[in-house]
Amino acid sequence: MARKRSVFSTGVQFVLKGRLKAVSKKNLTPSDRTPLSLLRRGEGGEVTFKTGGRNYRRLVVLTLSILLGLISTLSIPAWSNSKSPIPNSATRALQLAQEGQQLYNAGKFDEAAKLWQAAAKAYQQQGDREGMNKSLINQSQALQDLGLYPKACKTLLQAFAVDKPTCTQSQLNSFLTNISQKRDSLSLTQATGLRSLGEVLRKQGLLKESQKVLQLSLAVLNKSPESSAVLLSLGNTERALGNQIRDRWDYEQITAIIDQKSPDSALAPYQQAFKYYTQAATVASSPPVVKISAQLNHYKLLLENQKWWREQTSRRIVSWTRFGESQLIERAKDFLSQLESQLSQNAQTLQTQIESTLATVPPNRAVIYAQISFADCLIKTEQLDKAKPVLDAALQQARTLQDRRAETYVLGYLGQFYYQQKQLNQAIALTQQALALAQEQNFTGDAREITYLWQSQLGSFLREQRDTKGAIAAYTAAYNTLQSLRSDLNANNRDIQFDFLKEVKPVYVELADLLLQSKLGADELNSLVVSNPNITQAKFEQNQPKNRLEFARRVIESWQLAELDNFFQDPCSEETNIAIQIDDIDTQAAVIYPFIFKDRLEIILSLPGKPLQQFAIPVSEEKVNDTLDRLYDYLDNVTVNNSARNILATANPDPEELKENIQTLLPIFAQLYNWLIQPVETQLNTNQIKNLVFVLNGRLQKVPMAALYNGQKYLIEQYGVALVPSLQLIDPKLLKREKIKVLAAGVSKQVQIQGETFPALVNVPKELEEIKEAFPSSLKLLNQEFTTQTIQNQLKENFPVVHLATHGLFSSNPQKNFIITGDGKSISINELSNLLREQESNLELLVLSACETATGDERAMLGLAGTAVRSGARSTLATLWPVSDASTAQLMGEFYQELTKPGVKKLNALRIAQLSQIKSLRSKPLFDELKSLPPHPYFWASYVLVGNWQ
């Protein structure tokens, strides 16, 4: 069942003088159609609609995030400034503006935007700049409600007379500089326009710019009733900034806050948001909708923090319980108790205020969405007795106002209410009504974001009812809708990107789960998979999955791609036009797709020339995740004293501690081997497989697969090992391996950046020199020679291999995705990827020999996988955790020596280099105490090859 946190914002709108005619609509007759008939109309492909003769895609706002721009009743009159009798042209402009307002109030945002555009043009022709600007600001609000934020931004800049508005970063910076210099002469209309621009910038993820624009607007409107709306917008932007800070704290920072028992530090990212919400709700004579919006956003933010810190604290308690850290456990419990007491008290006060405000505010469409949001909170906090009256009132008001979008939301949330009440039939019936209403709107516009929501919810309810086929049909429809929206999902509200994972992932996971458990036949399957009109029928038929396993694999890979797109906030990954099979790439390789479900671990095995095979391992998600958490704790957790990382970070490692550590890790690696490899071992041997390619997701992404252990050998001692984010991203063509030349750059000296010290990598010169010896045509850049500019210049020479021996980090925080350059600066992974893509020829291999993934960051591997995709590199070689400088130099030297040999695959070159390290550690262990044990994986298993392994 899909849910989303929402931030209410009051859209700026000028209501024009004059009577507005009521817009009538026919009431929807409740549908008694079957679930399948509700699901198949127009959800499978790219939906377009026309505006001004141009087709464009609808940008989606998922779940309740659609409410971000829908509370739009803050009204400031727009009138003609002409002091002479109003001529016909002025009457026409006013009429257009009034009709736009009428359509907007009826929820017809597309038509309203066109009329306001026409009104702006009419005002311009009569020389009424004020009327034009107000119409443009209203037009931008309608565009925001449609999710068309770039177009809304350009419209607002047009209102400020910006020449050729593009809303690029440079243009926005220039605009901010110029408008700040005029702050003392800004009009109320301009201040209102700035507030609208601040909203658009927030929704595009330009949070700092949004903050500056809104603060400028507040300076003009300060202490006026209109200032409350600006304060609300500032609260929303500060909340988004707070999310950005908190959601990107690393494991150590969160642990420190819990250990220090500091609720103030826990809530520090949101103090400004709390302040602005409080001020917005208390401005004298502020519109009621602003007051209720501010109270609701404040209330929801308190509940979200309570939930987030409860999850984070529980995770630490589980880990500390494992190590018997009783004092840390008590401190964590004390911290959570203090924090929850504070948050609960504040939330209860706000809930009382919200109930009071809703009881007195006059009904309108803004209030309907406020009621939906409040009811959602009440359902989540299990206050069901209070949620039902709120939803009933919202439904009545939506029908009175004939607001179909509002009605579909209310019906859907009433479905959730009855589901919580265990009244499943009623929940399904209401969800079907909500879906029918949403689909009705797809004929006149694009309501896919609503359609997806109720398709997914219907699938969840039908599964609960044990209607497997109905559930598969519903989830497949939701999947088809999401696929049609794939690029739109990431051009959307960027301040809610992390919520995307929580809302979209269940569709893919639930559908894959149902498919793998079903016995769906080919004919039934074909009736569910809808063609995309953007591809030819021939390509569609070629891509059409032949059976349920192929469809399940398609769904899993689609999730991988959607997650990558979302991580980088744009559709960076481009699928091949045809379904890629392992036969097309490597006839000696097998692809393993492990997927963790609540009650089992599933493996899909792809072998050359064979149909897909399925293996189900009866182990719970809880047990798998506990095993993965223990692996992380003992291997790489910097907050655990006896993790391998901490033991080896000391000047004089304790041999007994290291021995105990590997004796603990080996059974964990053995357990993972038994789950992931043992079930398919017979098939691998029968088919003489030499290479294993893993498509991993979730916590499995940080497992060093090469170190899986069968009790005698590591996996790397039996097979070559590679990772791919999706087989559909692999270019199956073999590039001709001509004379290889490497652009080899590195930093050997100690570097300080923003107060953080990066230690010297004294073996980097040797590492680069060995590359030069292996491939004499290579270019070596050391320390000061290695800058962003020199890399950019040298890439024009089209090096097939780029090797960067420098500190770097992959994490879920774009600001912490970076590498260090020799001039003491950093370059983001995004910037690096863009530089690499500028090469005329394809990059064969990108090597990042001293980078690591952020500790405790489950999404960090997406930074590595995404870099491989975005850079255009066919392969990327990097490390999961920091490895000894000398060890890395040795391994890289052997890796490149192997690449000089004709026909050696990159995967095999890495394997041989790793085996050499294992052999060396066996013959000369670090301590005598380790002689009887296999070499510790921490020394050699960090290296991973992502992408094409050929």
Side-chain angles (χ1 to χ4, degrees):
M1 178 171 20
R3 301 251 182 90
K4 179 174 285 293
R5 70 187 184 198
S6 63
V7 182
F8 275 85
S9 62
T10 56
V12 176
Q13 223 167 4
F14 299 101
V15 177
L16 296 120
K17 293 181 177 178
R19 296 184 63 184
L20 302 180
K21 297 179 182 179
V23 179
S24 63
K25 283 187 177 181
K26 294 180 180 179
N27 291 325
L28 177 75
T29 302
S31 173
D32 58 357
R33 289 175 285 179
T34 64
L36 206 57
S37 67
L38 282 170
L39 298 171
R40 291 189 183 154
R41 299 197 296 162
E43 268 68 73
E46 204 69 65
V47 180
T48 61
F49 61 105
K50 291 193 173 183
T51 297
R54 293 164 54 202
N55 286 328
Y56 60 93
R57 295 184 65 183
R58 168 75 156 82
L59 298 178
V60 62
V61 187
L62 291 175
T63 320
L64 268 184
S65 66
I66 194 170
L67 305 181
L68 282 161
L70 286 183
I71 297 198
S72 307
T73 55
L74 179 63
S75 305
I76 302 173
W79 58 88
S80 171
N81 282 342
S82 174
K83 295 181 180 179
S84 55
I86 299 176
N88 288 337
S89 61
T91 303
R92 177 59 179 157
L94 183 62
Q95 182 182 355
L96 287 167
Q98 289 176 333
E99 289 175 359
Q101 181 72 53
Q102 180 181 355
L103 289 167
Y104 184 91
N105 290 343
K108 296 185 177 182
F109 307 131
D110 179 35
E111 296 173 52
K114 287 188 283 187
L115 282 176
W116 274 325
Q117 183 179 24
K121 187 174 182 180
Y123 278 123
Q124 184 183 30
Q125 289 172 346
Q126 72 182 52
D128 186 346
R129 183 77 198 181
E130 184 78 356
M132 182 187 79
N133 287 346
K134 290 178 178 179
S135 293
L136 287 172
I137 292 170
N138 280 346
Q139 181 193 359
S140 78
Q141 182 59 49
L143 292 170
Q144 288 182 61
D145 292 332
L146 287 166
L148 301 171
Y149 305 122
K151 192 171 183 179
C153 182
K154 293 173 187 176
T155 302
L156 286 166
L157 291 188
Q158 185 184 347
F160 284 94
V162 173
D163 187 40
K164 297 179 181 178
T166 58
C167 280
T168 60
Q169 187 73 56
S170 58
Q171 188 178 68
L172 286 169
N173 290 339
S174 176
F175 169 75
L176 279 169
T177 300
N178 293 334
I179 202 74
S180 296
Q181 294 170 353
K182 302 175 184 177
R183 61 181 295 169
D184 294 334
S185 61
L186 292 175
S187 67
L188 290 178
T189 298
Q190 288 174 314
T192 304
L194 286 173
R195 182 201 164 277
S196 188
L197 180 60
E199 282 286 292
V200 172
L201 294 175
R202 174 178 62 79
K203 292 166 184 174
Q204 290 186 296
L206 300 172
L207 301 182
K208 290 296 183 182
E209 291 81 359
S210 170
Q211 184 186 53
K212 291 175 184 176
V213 167
L214 291 171
Q215 287 172 344
L216 186 59
S217 176
L218 184 63
V220 178
L221 296 172
N222 192 26
K223 297 183 181 179
S224 70
E226 292 80 5
S227 67
S228 60
V230 186
L231 288 165
L232 172 59
S233 293
L234 270 167
N236 293 342
T237 294
E238 291 293 344
R239 172 187 179 277
L241 285 165
N243 286 343
Q244 200 173 73
I245 293 169
R246 187 202 66 184
D247 289 341
R248 291 162 180 165
W249 276 337
D250 61 29
Y251 193 92
E252 294 173 79
Q253 289 173 288
I254 298 168
T255 303
I257 290 171
I258 295 171
D259 183 45
Q260 292 163 9
K261 296 196 293 187
S262 178
D264 289 344
S265 297
L267 300 176
Y270 297 104
Q271 290 305 327
Q272 282 295 104
F274 293 147
K275 183 186 80 172
Y276 285 130
Y277 285 147
T278 301
Q279 290 177 354
T282 54
V283 170
S285 303
S286 68
V289 68
V290 175
K291 182 176 181 179
I292 188 64
S293 299
Q295 290 171 338
L296 267 169
N297 288 356
H298 194 166
Y299 179 63
K300 291 171 77 72
L301 186 53
L302 292 172
L303 296 182
E304 287 160 15
N305 268 283
Q306 190 173 40
K307 180 175 182 290
W308 194 87
W309 279 105
R310 190 179 295 150
E311 291 171 353
Q312 293 297 324
T313 306
S314 296
R315 181 179 175 185
R316 270 73 182 172
I317 289 174
V318 169
S319 179
W320 289 333
T321 300
R322 191 174 295 129
F323 294 97
E325 299 281 3
S326 56
Q327 290 185 339
L328 290 175
I329 293 169
E330 286 306 311
R331 293 180 68 81
K333 289 179 178 178
D334 287 346
F335 161 79
L336 190 59
S337 176
Q338 293 175 31
L339 181 67
E340 291 202 327
S341 174
Q342 178 181 331
L343 291 174
S344 296
Q345 184 176 350
N346 293 342
Q348 185 56 54
T349 300
L350 275 166
Q351 181 174 324
T352 302
Q353 293 172 357
I354 292 166
E355 290 168 343
S356 174
T357 305
L358 282 175
T360 57
V361 69
N364 56 47
R365 61 191 302 272
V367 173
I368 294 170
Y369 286 106
Q371 290 170 319
I372 295 170
S373 184
F374 185 44
D376 179 44
C377 292
L378 294 173
I379 292 172
K380 288 177 179 175
T381 54
E382 300 181 354
Q383 300 180 67
L384 300 180
D385 57 326
K386 294 185 177 182
K388 181 63 162 53
V390 175
L391 287 171
D392 286 342
L395 182 61
Q396 180 59 48
Q397 291 172 19
R399 286 174 172 168
T400 300
L401 296 175
Q402 298 181 349
D403 189 327
R404 291 293 184 264
R405 281 184 175 247
E407 187 176 350
T408 185
Y409 274 111
V410 181
L411 288 168
Y413 276 84
L414 276 168
Q416 293 183 16
F417 167 81
Y418 280 105
Y419 175 79
Q420 295 289 339
Q421 293 282 67
K422 311 296 184 185
Q423 298 182 42
L424 200 52
N425 289 333
Q426 183 72 354
I428 290 171
L430 286 163
T431 304
Q432 288 174 341
Q433 290 181 46
L435 180 55
L437 259 181
Q439 290 177 320
E440 179 187 76
Q441 295 174 70
N442 274 330
F443 289 108
T444 57
D446 184 359
R448 287 177 291 165
E449 79 286 348
I450 314 175
T451 306
Y452 136 79
L453 174 62
W454 306 135
Q455 287 166 336
S456 175
Q457 180 166 296
L458 183 59
S460 173
F461 293 169
L462 290 173
R463 181 172 191 176
E464 186 82 10
Q465 202 178 49
R466 301 187 184 279
D467 180 358
T468 301
K469 287 187 178 180
I472 290 176
Y475 276 122
T476 300
Y479 165 78
N480 289 330
T481 304
L482 285 174
Q483 289 299 96
S484 77
L485 288 167
R486 182 178 157 214
S487 65
D488 291 340
L489 290 171
N490 306 291
N492 188 21
N493 273 314
R494 295 193 175 186
D495 60 312
I496 55 171
Q497 288 288 309
F498 279 86
D499 277 356
F500 166 90
L501 292 177
K502 300 173 185 176
E503 302 309 324
V504 177
K505 182 178 180 179
V507 173
Y508 295 91
V509 173
E510 293 293 325
L511 179 54
D513 187 10
L514 286 165
L515 287 169
L516 290 170
Q517 291 189 86
S518 76
K519 296 181 180 179
L520 208 62
D523 291 340
E524 293 172 301
L525 180 68
N526 291 337
S527 70
L528 297 177
V529 183
V530 184
S531 174
N532 184 325
N534 284 337
I535 65 173
T536 65
Q537 184 63 25
K539 282 184 179 177
F540 170 69
E541 291 174 358
Q542 190 174 10
N543 275 312
Q544 182 80 340
K546 305 297 187 296
N547 55 57
R548 65 179 181 85
L549 284 184
E550 285 195 18
F551 189 23
R553 178 176 72 169
R554 179 78 55 83
V555 170
I556 291 168
E557 291 212 334
S558 295
W559 162 244
Q560 302 284 94
L561 299 179
E563 190 173 35
L564 272 177
D565 290 351
N566 171 256
F567 180 80
F568 285 101
Q569 300 181 358
D570 66 58
C572 65
S573 46
E574 191 170 329
E575 294 178 81
T576 55
N577 287 326
I578 60 173
I580 299 297
Q581 306 296 331
I582 189 61
D583 314 53
D584 303 320
I585 305 173
D586 186 350
T587 58
Q588 294 182 314
V591 185
I592 297 175
Y593 299 82
F595 216 84
I596 305 169
F597 297 106
K598 288 182 180 178
D599 60 344
R600 70 199 189 285
L601 174 68
E602 287 269 8
I603 295 174
I604 296 178
L605 177 65
S606 176
L607 294 168
K610 303 280 185 180
L612 296 178
Q613 299 177 58
Q614 176 185 4
F615 301 85
I617 297 90
V619 56
S620 69
E621 179 182 32
E622 183 181 3
K623 185 171 182 180
V624 173
N625 284 338
D626 179 67
T627 301
L628 296 176
D629 285 343
R630 287 192 296 118
L631 175 63
Y632 169 68
D633 282 345
Y634 284 102
L635 188 64
D636 193 35
N637 191 340
V638 293
T639 68
V640 172
N641 288 331
N642 54 348
S643 69
R645 182 168 185 159
N646 279 339
I647 293 170
L648 292 168
T650 58
N652 297 298
D654 185 329
E656 289 300 328
E657 278 191 344
L658 194 57
K659 180 180 179 180
E660 183 180 341
N661 180 267
I662 191 172
Q663 286 175 331
T664 303
L665 281 170
L666 285 174
I668 299 174
F669 281 121
Q671 179 65 81
L672 292 172
Y673 186 99
N674 290 338
W675 286 337
L676 298 172
I677 305 300
Q678 192 274 331
V680 302
E681 210 162 22
T682 301
Q683 292 295 328
L684 299 179
N685 294 333
T686 301
N687 290 274
Q688 298 181 325
I689 295 301
K690 294 184 177 179
N691 302 319
L692 299 183
V693 180
F694 292 92
V695 181
L696 304 175
N697 57 77
R699 298 188 189 183
L700 287 170
Q701 291 178 100
K702 291 203 72 174
V703 175
M705 290 293 164
L708 300 190
Y709 188 63
N710 69 358
Q712 295 179 323
K713 293 181 178 180
Y714 289 116
L715 191 64
I716 196 67
E717 296 179 274
Q718 304 172 72
Y719 304 96
V721 177
L723 309 177
V724 293
S726 166
L727 206 61
Q728 302 310 307
L729 295 177
I730 299 297
D731 181 358
K733 297 176 183 176
L734 279 172
L735 292 183
K736 293 182 180 179
R737 201 173 280 189
E738 300 170 354
K739 195 173 183 180
I740 292 180
K741 60 177 183 177
V742 183
L743 177 57
V747 179
S748 63
K749 62 183 182 180
Q750 177 177 297
V751 178
Q752 268 201 334
I753 296 180
Q754 297 179 349
E756 187 171 356
T757 300
F758 295 89
L761 301 170
V762 295
N763 285 282
V764 163
K766 177 185 175 184
E767 185 176 329
L768 302 186
E769 190 56 42
E770 289 184 350
I771 294 172
K772 180 76 172 173
E773 289 177 6
F775 301 103
S777 299
S778 300
L779 177 65
K780 185 175 64 172
L781 300 173
L782 182 62
N783 293 333
Q784 292 296 332
E785 299 170 331
F786 172 23
T787 66
T788 303
Q789 190 60 52
T790 54
I791 289 290
Q792 186 173 17
N793 292 338
Q794 293 301 328
L795 283 173
K796 295 174 183 177
E797 301 300 319
N798 293 324
F799 288 88
V801 179
V802 174
H803 181 106
L804 303 176
T806 179
H807 289 289
L809 184 71
F810 297 107
S811 81
S812 60
N813 181 353
Q815 296 173 352
K816 289 186 178 181
N817 264 317
F818 64 88
I819 62 168
I820 302 297
T821 52
D823 54 354
K825 297 179 181 178
S826 63
I827 176 173
S828 73
I829 296 297
N830 280 357
E831 291 169 334
L832 175 64
S833 297
N834 291 335
L835 286 177
L836 295 173
R837 291 190 75 91
E838 290 177 6
Q839 283 202 138
E840 291 181 10
S841 61
N842 288 332
L843 182 61
E844 175 74 16
L845 176 64
L846 171 65
V847 179
L848 302 166
S849 70
C851 294
E852 60 176 299
T853 55
T855 59
D857 188 340
E858 292 178 11
R859 300 190 75 209
M861 275 300 293
L862 291 172
L864 173 54
T867 299
V869 173
R870 289 172 65 91
S871 66
R874 286 159 50 83
S875 314
T876 298
L877 175 58
T879 51
L880 296 176
W881 56 79
V883 185
S884 158
D885 179 30
S887 176
T888 298
Q890 178 188 350
L891 180 134
M892 289 298 165
E894 295 189 21
F895 171 73
Y896 281 106
Q897 281 299 325
E898 288 300 317
L899 281 185
T900 63
K901 300 175 182 177
V904 174
K905 298 174 181 177
K906 287 170 278 188
L907 164 141
N908 291 331
L910 177 60
R911 177 174 181 247
I912 291 169
Q914 287 179 297
L915 290 176
S916 176
Q917 283 200 332
I918 292 173
K919 182 179 179 181
S920 176
L921 288 165
R922 273 203 175 104
S923 62
K924 294 181 181 179
L926 190 62
F927 301 107
D928 288 341
E929 288 85 346
L930 305 178
K931 279 183 178 179
S932 62
L933 295 168
H936 201 300
Y938 196 85
F939 295 112
W940 57 267
S942 176
Y943 307 95
V944 291
L945 182 67
V946 181
N948 194 310
W949 58 95
Q950 294 286 70

